[in-house]
Amino acid sequence: MSTPTLDRFDDEPQRDHAPQHSIFERLYTGTGGFEIVGRRRFYYALGAAFVVLSLLSIAVRGFTLGIDFEGGSRIQLPAAENVTTQKAEDVYSATFGHDPVSVQKVGSGAAATIQIRSDSLDLAQTEQLQNALFTAFQPKDSSGTVSRNAISIAEISETWGSQITRQALIALLVFVALTMIYIAIRFERDMSIAAITSLFFNLIVTAGVYSLVGFEVTPAAVIGLLTILGYVLYDNVVVFDKVEENTRGVLHLTKRTYGEQANLAANQTLMRSINTTIIGILPIIGMLVIAVWLLGVGTLKDLALVQLVGMIVGAYSSIFFAVPVLVSIKERFGPVAAHTRKVLARRSGAASERARLEAERRAVAATGGRKTPEEIRRESDDYSPRPGARPSGKRNKRRH
């Protein structure tokens, strides 16, 4: 008698029986080989660690505000061969008895200048510093004539910086409100909540990195921060569009849960997100190289850094944060939660049945196929103790 075959259940996950592919093949094909939603607690913990570190850095170190936000004086003179940042700092220190806030070389070639940032100087101090710099370096103007007018001193008020900050916050609030409305209309409310959570995660982590490295916060950095929010929104919309496509009609089926379909969508858009991020950051890295090593333009450096960090964090948050948050919201209550419980319960029952059939198969194999599963079950029932039966076995004989 042949060994009975085991039935295959449709609810059995096929992942264990699928052929194993390399990480690059799974990335390219998007076959769902990476468990993103299933390991969402790990990604939540990782995201929480990023947020805590960022908030600690902001609270302890704070931000290095640029002159546009703190106010002060900015002195510029041509960077001739006899002018260096160290020499300019020495002249400033000898004039006032303390060091300037910062001294840096800006630009390259004939357009290069030495920029000194200091606290606000009054008229007498301005004259004193201008005379000291002119005496030390004899700078030339654009016509090549030695002139005191080649040294420019400008006063920057912190009022302008506060206005920029207020306008940036208003723009952020308007952007967040419009984003929630758009995603709620285009997709649904839960996706809107997940997208906004991802946006704030991106903002906090990017600001934390900026605080940690100590770069100056300039208007260019604020503009760059607002710019990357559009990129994060774009990435979220792409991922949520795939999630909506994969989960359409999932509540009428019992083979896969909403979370599994969302995980598949995240895998299918993972390679695309990596490609767009790499393509997006390459020109930004080029901008950083040109700004820092070739031109020395601080504005480009600030703009490039905030965009570089924001795009990388945005790519991470759209896949590994927004999608798990969406699934967590869905599985907490409502029809998706009920459907998930139903699928898992059916799967659990199917697993129990498979275990019973496997036990019968092994029992039949142990008898060499001479007995059927029904005969084995019958013998097991015959030898099983009946209710109320006395224990059987040898008793010690009474000795006389």
Side-chain angles (χ1 to χ4, degrees), residues 43-178:
Y43 294 113
Y44 287 160
L46 188 62
F50 287 150
V51 171
V52 169
L53 289 176
S54 300
L55 293 177
L56 283 176
S57 177
I58 294 173
V60 176
R61 292 175 56 90
F63 294 104
T64 304
L65 298 178
I67 191 173
D68 300 299
F69 291 95
E70 282 195 331
S73 298
R74 183 167 55 201
I75 304 97
Q76 287 183 317
L77 68 155
E81 293 182 359
N82 63 328
V83 184
T84 63
T85 55
Q86 185 60 51
K87 290 181 179 179
E89 184 175 352
D90 292 341
V91 171
Y92 182 97
S93 301
T95 303
F96 297 120
H98 60 84
D99 294 335
V101 176
S102 65
V103 180
Q104 61 179 346
K105 184 178 180 180
V106 179
S108 62
T113 60
I114 298 296
Q115 185 178 104
I116 304 173
R117 177 192 161 192
S118 71
D119 298 330
S120 295
L121 303 176
D122 55 29
L123 185 59
Q125 290 174 324
T126 300
E127 291 285 341
Q128 184 181 359
L129 179 60
Q130 195 173 28
N131 291 333
L133 292 173
F134 178 76
T135 302
F137 302 118
Q138 296 293 306
K140 298 179 180 180
D141 57 19
S142 57
S143 63
T145 305
V146 177
S147 172
R148 293 176 71 258
N149 295 329
I151 304 172
S152 63
I153 300 179
E155 290 295 324
I156 307 296
S157 173
E158 69 273 9
T159 305
W160 187 78
S162 62
Q163 291 175 351
I164 290 292
T165 304
R166 184 171 61 254
Q167 292 174 359
L169 291 175
I170 294 174
L172 175 62
L173 294 176
V174 172
F175 178 82
V176 169
L178 292 177

Side-chain angles (χ1 to χ4, degrees), residues 14 46 107 115 135 139 188-189 293 302 304 316 364 386:
Q14 304 298 319
L46 188 62
Q115 185 178 104
T135 302
E188 54 181 272
R189 180 201 61 189
W293 289 324
D302 299 338
Y316 170 84
V364 171
R386 297 174 181 175

Side-chain angles (χ1 to χ4, degrees), residues 21-32 264 267-268 271:
H21 300 285
S22 68
I23 182 173
F24 297 105
E25 289 177 321
R26 287 185 287 160
L27 275 174
Y28 180 76
T29 58
T31 52
L264 178 61
N267 277 268
Q268 290 171 336
M271 192 62 193

Side-chain angles (χ1 to χ4, degrees), residues 357-371:
L357 292 176
E358 178 65 18
E360 290 182 356
R361 186 189 66 79
R362 291 179 179 177
V364 171
T367 62
R370 294 189 301 271
K371 295 182 180 181

Side-chain angles (χ1 to χ4, degrees), residues 300-326:
L300 288 180
K301 179 182 65 175
D302 299 338
L303 181 63
L305 177 66
V306 71
Q307 288 186 337
L308 177 65
V309 176
M311 288 185 69
I312 294 175
V313 177
Y316 170 84
S317 63
S318 62
I319 296 290
F320 297 96
F321 191 77
V323 175
V325 167
L326 172 64

Side-chain angles (χ1 to χ4, degrees), residues 145-335:
T145 305
V146 177
S147 172
R148 293 176 71 258
N149 295 329
I151 304 172
S152 63
I153 300 179
E155 290 295 324
I156 307 296
S157 173
E158 69 273 9
T159 305
W160 187 78
S162 62
Q163 291 175 351
I164 290 292
T165 304
R166 184 171 61 254
Q167 292 174 359
L169 291 175
I170 294 174
L172 175 62
L173 294 176
V174 172
F175 178 82
V176 169
L178 292 177
T179 299
M180 291 188 69
I181 294 173
Y182 170 77
I183 297 182
I185 295 175
R186 171 61 181 84
F187 297 104
E188 54 181 272
R189 180 201 61 189
D190 294 338
M191 288 186 178
S192 176
I193 297 174
I196 297 304
T197 306
S198 175
L199 283 178
F200 279 107
F201 172 82
N202 188 275
L203 279 174
I204 294 172
V205 174
T206 303
V209 172
Y210 225 79
S211 169
L212 196 61
V213 299
F215 271 61
E216 284 190 353
V217 179
T218 63
V222 176
I223 294 171
L225 190 62
L226 295 176
T227 303
I228 63 173
L229 295 182
Y231 172 81
V232 176
L233 173 62
Y234 167 77
D235 222 18
N236 283 338
V237 168
V238 170
V239 177
F240 287 160
D241 184 69
K242 194 63 179 178
V243 171
E244 184 186 44
E245 177 184 340
N246 285 5
T247 57
R248 188 177 294 119
V250 70
L251 299 183
H252 302 290
L253 304 175
T254 56
K255 292 184 179 181
R256 299 178 70 87
T257 65
Y258 183 95
E260 291 167 346
Q261 290 296 93
N263 185 79
L264 178 61
N267 277 268
Q268 290 171 336
T269 54
L270 180 58
M271 192 62 193
R272 181 188 182 281
S273 182
I274 293 175
N275 287 335
T276 54
T277 302
I278 292 176
I279 293 173
I281 66 176
L282 283 178
I284 295 177
I285 294 176
M287 189 188 301
L288 272 173
V289 172
I290 294 173
V292 175
W293 289 324
L294 297 181
L295 299 179
V297 181
T299 302
L300 288 180
K301 179 182 65 175
D302 299 338
L303 181 63
L305 177 66
V306 71
Q307 288 186 337
L308 177 65
V309 176
M311 288 185 69
I312 294 175
V313 177
Y316 170 84
S317 63
S318 62
I319 296 290
F320 297 96
F321 191 77
V323 175
V325 167
L326 172 64
V327 175
S328 295
I329 295 174
K330 288 287 188 182
E331 291 184 348
R332 185 167 295 275
F333 54 85

